[in-house]
Amino acid sequence: MKRTLILVAILLITGLVNTSAQQLRRVALHKKKIELKSPSTWSKNFVKIDPQTKKEIYHDPKPRLEVADAKAGKYYMKWIGYDGKEKMTVYQRPDCVDVIVISLAIKSASGYEYEYTVQNLKTSGDYLNGFAVQNFSADVSPKRPSTANDVFIGNMSAGAFGEGNWIRFAPIPPHPKVQPGQTVKFKLYSPSPPGLVECRVNGGDFVMKGAGEELPPELETLILNYDALPRGYTIGPVDGLRKSSHEENVSYLLKALPQCQKQGWLTMQVLQTYEQLLKQNNMASIFTRIGNDLKNGSISTEVFAIVEAMKK
C-alpha cells in the first residue's frame, strides 16, 4: 500500500495525472438540450365583475421570455402585473457552465480521502455555483452542514437527484467565484472504497430578484427543471464494495468499465484487455499492470482508484 501511495504522489508531482487526462480526452459533464421559449398559451385570472357592465374582468399576464445573454444563459422573464405595469426578473440557466471533474481516492489507515478537482472550462458562460456528488455510504465526512475554506458543504434532501446520498459543495463569499478557465478542489472522507457514482454541477446565479409579485405559473414551470444541471460520473464511497467477494468485484468491473471508457477514463484497447482478463477470472494480471497503465496515460486516476481498492 505504501508503494501505491508513493506512486500516486509521484504522478501528481510530475504532472502525469494531468497528462493522462489530456491523452484520454476526458469528456465534459453532459448537458441536455433544453430549449426555453415564451409560453404559447397561458391562463387569464379572474379579477372582479365590472359594476357598470356586469361583465367579468380578467387579468392577462402576457408572459414572455427574452434572451438577455445567450452565452451566460440569461433570460428576461416579463409579464403584466395586476397593477397593469410590466414586471421583469432575470433567470439564469444552471447549465451555463462547461465542466470537467477529475477525482482521486487515496487510502490511509482511517479510510479514503476523496479529492475532486472541478474545472470550469473557458467555454463556460459564467462562474461555477456548486458541485454535488453521489455516494452510497453510511459514513461520510462531513456528515453535517459545515463551512471549510469558504466552501459550504451539506447533505442534499433525500431523493433530490435519485438514489443514494448526495453532498453539495458551494463556494461562498468571500471565496472568489470560480470563473471560466478556473479550477476548485473539494474533499470527502470515508472508510468505504471508491466506486462509480454520479455528480452534477450548476453555474451562475440561481436566485432571482423579486418583482413585487409571483411569477405567472407558465414562466415558473419553465425553470423548475433539475434535469437542466450538467451531469456525469466520478468516484465516491460505496459501502457495498467494502466486503465484496472476488466474483462480485469481477462482475462490478465488467459493468463499470465500459461506462468509464465513455467518460474518457481508459483507452478502448485497455478496456478490451481488462474485459478479457476479467472474463478469464484473472484480476491478478490487472493488479500487476494498473500502476504502469496510469503512468503511461492509458487509464485515469478514477479507474486506478476503483481497481486498486479491490486488492485484498
Side-chain angles (χ1 to χ4, degrees):
M1 182 54 67
K2 289 184 178 179
R3 177 179 175 276
T4 298
L5 296 178
I6 292 173
L7 172 62
V8 173
I10 292 174
L11 291 172
L12 290 172
I13 293 171
T14 59
L16 286 172
V17 168
N18 289 332
T19 301
S20 68
Q22 295 172 2
Q23 292 175 350
L24 292 172
R25 297 181 182 178
R26 291 175 180 268
V27 300
L29 301 188
H30 175 70
K31 297 196 291 187
K32 288 190 174 182
K33 295 181 179 180
I34 300 175
E35 182 181 3
L36 295 182
K37 56 184 179 180
S38 297
S40 57
T41 60
W42 57 87
S43 301
K44 297 179 182 180
N45 304 311
F46 173 76
V47 178
K48 63 180 180 179
I49 295 178
D50 189 304
Q52 300 297 326
T53 64
K54 306 302 181 182
K55 291 184 178 179
E56 296 179 341
I57 298 177
Y58 287 85
H59 166 242
D60 185 352
K62 294 184 172 63
R64 64 191 188 279
L65 203 66
E66 296 178 5
V67 177
D69 185 334
K71 184 175 182 180
K74 291 184 177 180
Y75 298 81
Y76 294 126
M77 304 189 103
K78 298 181 177 182
W79 70 98
I80 304 300
Y82 282 95
D83 59 4
K85 297 179 181 180
E86 183 176 79
K87 308 295 181 182
M88 185 188 76
T89 187
V90 177
Y91 168 70
Q92 186 166 25
R93 299 174 63 122
D95 59 358
C96 62
V97 289
D98 300 320
V99 171
I100 284 179
V101 178
I102 300 174
S103 49
L104 300 168
I106 299 178
K107 185 173 176 57
S108 66
S110 59
Y112 292 85
E113 176 186 276
Y114 293 85
E115 180 177 277
Y116 302 95
T117 301
V118 185
Q119 300 177 346
N120 190 18
L121 303 180
K122 291 182 179 180
T123 54
S124 292
D126 212 332
Y127 70 95
L128 178 73
N129 190 291
F131 167 71
V133 62
Q134 183 185 41
N135 71 82
F136 295 91
S137 176
D139 189 0
V140 177
S141 177
K143 293 181 179 179
R144 300 177 180 177
S146 63
T147 300
N149 298 324
D150 298 323
V151 175
F152 172 80
I153 309 169
N155 291 318
M156 301 187 68
S157 58
F161 295 138
E163 61 182 348
N165 309 308
W166 287 80
I167 294 179
R168 173 177 165 81
F169 298 84
I172 56 177
H175 192 289
K177 292 181 178 179
V178 184
Q179 300 289 357
Q182 296 182 336
T183 295
V184 64
K185 293 184 179 182
F186 307 115
K187 289 185 178 182
L188 281 181
Y189 303 89
S190 175
S192 298
L196 191 65
V197 300
E198 292 186 34
C199 63
R200 301 195 188 191
V201 296
N202 66 291
D205 296 320
F206 61 89
V207 177
M208 296 187 295
K209 294 182 179 179
E213 65 179 51
E214 293 183 356
L215 283 172
E218 293 79 10
L219 290 179
E220 188 173 17
T221 299
L222 289 176
I223 63 178
L224 295 178
N225 192 346
Y226 274 122
D227 285 340
L229 273 62
R231 63 189 295 174
Y233 289 90
T234 184
I235 55 174
V238 178
D239 282 348
L241 295 174
R242 294 184 71 172
K243 297 181 180 180
S244 55
S245 65
H246 171 82
E247 292 74 18
E248 289 170 331
N249 287 338
V250 169
S251 177
Y252 185 88
L253 290 176
L254 284 172
K255 293 178 181 178
L257 288 178
Q259 185 59 253
C260 293
Q261 198 280 324
K262 290 180 181 179
Q263 308 309 307
W265 295 352
L266 72 166
T267 65
M268 180 58 72
Q269 181 179 1
V270 169
L271 171 63
Q272 293 172 345
T273 299
Y274 283 13
E275 287 181 325
Q276 183 178 6
L277 291 171
L278 289 168
K279 291 175 182 177
Q280 295 172 353
N281 205 29
N282 187 6
M283 285 189 67
S285 292
I286 297 179
F287 293 149
T288 300
R289 60 173 290 167
I290 56 170
N292 190 58
D293 287 340
L294 177 65
K295 184 177 180 179
N296 65 30
S298 298
I299 66 172
S300 72
T301 51
E302 290 86 354
V303 173
F304 178 84
I306 293 173
V307 175
E308 177 73 13
M310 291 181 175
K311 289 183 178 179
K312 303 299 183 183

